[in-house]
Amino acid sequence: MIRVIDRTLVLLEAFHLKEPAFREIAELLCACGANFLEITPAVYRQLGTVQGAQYILRVESPEEAMAYADRADIKRFLCKSLSDTALRVYPEITINDMRDFFTVERFRRCDRVRVCGLADTVLQPHSKVFSNLRSAFEGAIEFAADNDCYAATSLALQWAMLGGTEIVASVFGMGNMAAFEDVTRLLYFLRGRRTRSALGALRQLETRLQAMLLECESA
């Protein structure tokens, strides 16, 4: 099963949206087929429970995760370059070259790791690069391709087609990532993922989010 982790809500925090807007986007993301919504503690406290949502909470340290350990809708925590498996805190690391031995070796035995970067993978044989990536870590890998070479969506789909099971994306590719709407549509056609009703919700999400962002810019 291919799981899509959406990071849109983290990126929207910079636009200072009100709770109803965050809630509407969260509900639409769930309807569109996002398996997990990445979110910060601040937005989580603002939102509260959203029906059908499963969160990955982005924390500054493993200690911060302790305050949310009993929340059923928070499935795990994400922390920059830090981990604590007992608390379900997993690291986010950046690798631009698989020869970055220090970073790879440090997190090799983690149960789960998010790997960002690898934008220049588009210039190399994908099957070899992704095979090397899977071999480098013993646990599950969440792949968050950078869009520096304007190919993050393509790389995310290649990862899925070559055996990867978890993709990180954001609506409109915000934050230099794979575009959630393109990943979702193409996985529907390539792998039969989700339903036509999810694609209908995706059109609604694009229209609503675009309007929200235009309102923020004009305010």
Side-chain angles (χ1 to χ4, degrees):
M1 177 181 177
I2 299 171
R3 298 177 179 85
V4 178
I5 301 164
D6 183 83
R7 199 176 175 222
T8 304
L9 294 175
V10 169
L11 298 164
L12 287 178
E13 193 170 357
F15 292 88
H16 306 291
L17 300 179
K18 301 299 183 182
E19 183 273 337
F22 273 120
R23 179 172 294 276
E24 182 180 2
I25 296 302
E27 290 173 347
L28 283 170
L29 285 167
C30 291
C32 292
N35 298 96
F36 299 99
L37 305 181
E38 186 180 332
I39 197 168
T40 64
V43 175
Y44 182 77
R45 290 191 296 269
Q46 185 180 355
L47 262 182
T49 301
V50 173
Q51 185 175 5
Q54 296 188 89
Y55 297 120
I56 296 174
L57 196 68
R58 189 177 189 89
V59 295
E60 295 296 326
S61 67
E63 290 74 23
E64 188 179 6
M66 296 175 67
Y68 303 90
D70 61 343
R71 306 298 174 91
D73 54 353
I74 298 177
K75 297 305 176 183
R76 55 183 181 266
F77 303 90
L78 182 73
C79 189
K80 186 74 172 178
S81 300
L82 295 173
S83 65
D84 188 326
T85 301
L87 293 174
R88 294 176 290 134
V89 179
Y90 301 104
E92 178 185 73
I93 62 175
T94 299
I95 298 177
N96 290 313
D97 191 314
M98 287 306 298
R99 291 171 294 183
D100 187 353
F101 177 82
F102 176 79
T103 301
V104 170
E105 191 61 28
R106 181 182 173 192
F107 297 103
R108 181 183 301 279
R109 294 177 178 81
C110 286
D111 294 343
R112 171 180 295 277
V113 61
R114 177 178 295 182
V115 175
C116 304
L118 294 176
D120 62 352
T121 298
V122 70
L123 305 175
Q124 305 172 48
H126 296 159
S127 58
K128 181 178 180 180
V129 173
F130 291 145
S131 176
N132 289 341
L133 180 59
R134 285 193 296 269
S135 298
F137 298 98
E138 296 180 4
I141 299 172
E142 302 172 7
F143 182 53
D146 282 349
N147 200 39
D148 292 347
C149 293
Y150 306 102
T153 299
S154 175
L155 291 174
L157 291 167
Q158 286 288 339
W159 170 251
M161 299 306 291
L162 291 170
T165 58
E166 297 185 88
I167 299 168
V168 185
S170 64
V171 179
F172 303 145
M174 291 188 296
N176 200 39
M177 306 189 73
F180 173 83
E181 63 276 17
D182 293 336
V183 166
T184 302
R185 285 191 178 96
L186 289 167
L187 283 178
Y188 171 81
F189 291 108
L190 294 172
R191 300 293 289 268
R193 188 180 184 278
R194 298 294 176 179
T195 63
R196 287 192 178 277
S197 62
L199 296 182
L202 192 60
R203 289 191 289 270
Q204 185 180 351
L205 171 65
E206 289 174 302
T207 300
R208 188 68 189 98
L209 186 53
Q210 187 174 39
M212 284 183 186
L213 296 178
L214 286 173
E215 288 174 10
C216 290
E217 288 182 0
S218 60

